[in-house]
Amino acid sequence: MISLTQQVNAVRLDTHKSDTFEQNDLVLDNSGAVLSGSRDALIRRLVPTRDFCPDESYIFSLLVNIRTFISPHELMQKIVQYCMFAQNADSHNFAKEGRGRMFAHILRLCSEWATNIPYDFKTEYMRTR
């Protein structure tokens, strides 16, 4: 039987910190799944764009866990802010097709949030947002 000390010594941890990791970076695995990231980077990944909408598992996981660091109404405020930035960042977003796809993705995010975590919409602020 291997002792706990031998098991711990057998595990090699890579503690080298990358010099290129920035505050707003994400750590992804080989398949592109998010492993870690700063709060703002994780929220930016949640925000849908014309060409991207996060999958249901990411939306649910982030919404359940991010409340440790930010309130639901602050999260909604950041999402709206990032959506406005994304909308105004690219001229293709002003075209009817680009606008329609982006708003369809935003609607999907909001419906996932309201369906899976309805308690967040208990306050008047969140319901009218």
Side-chain angles (χ1 to χ4, degrees):
M1 183 170 174
I2 299 175
S3 71
L4 179 61
T5 305
Q6 290 171 326
Q7 289 176 358
V8 170
N9 290 336
V11 175
R12 183 174 181 268
L13 296 176
D14 184 9
T15 58
H16 177 267
K17 291 185 179 179
S18 171
D19 295 332
T20 61
F21 187 80
E22 307 253 336
Q23 170 114 13
N24 294 322
D25 281 346
L26 290 172
V27 177
L28 306 173
D29 67 7
N30 292 337
S31 67
V34 176
L35 297 176
S36 179
S38 68
R39 180 186 76 178
D40 286 337
L42 294 169
I43 293 170
R44 270 195 210 95
R45 174 79 175 215
L46 178 68
V47 175
T49 64
R50 181 183 78 239
D51 300 318
F52 170 77
C53 188
D55 62 29
E56 294 172 3
S57 63
Y58 181 79
I59 293 171
F60 180 75
S61 298
L62 185 71
L63 290 175
V64 167
N65 292 298
I66 198 79
R67 63 193 61 249
T68 305
F69 306 103
I70 187 171
S71 70
H73 95 278
E74 289 173 309
L75 177 61
M76 177 66 82
Q77 185 175 357
K78 282 195 172 286
I79 289 172
V80 169
Q81 180 183 21
Y82 290 146
C83 284
M84 294 301 291
F85 288 152
Q87 177 68 27
N88 295 323
D90 188 357
S91 62
H92 295 293
N93 290 336
F94 291 104
K96 187 175 182 179
E97 179 185 317
R99 231 183 12 244
R101 282 193 312 195
M102 184 169 179
F103 289 132
H105 291 162
I106 293 169
L107 179 61
R108 179 174 169 225
L109 169 66
C110 292
S111 68
E112 288 285 331
W113 191 351
T115 301
N116 292 321
I117 311 173
Y119 185 78
D120 286 354
F121 296 91
K122 186 176 179 180
T123 65
E124 183 68 23
Y125 175 85
M126 289 293 286
R127 284 193 305 267
T128 59
R129 200 67 180 145

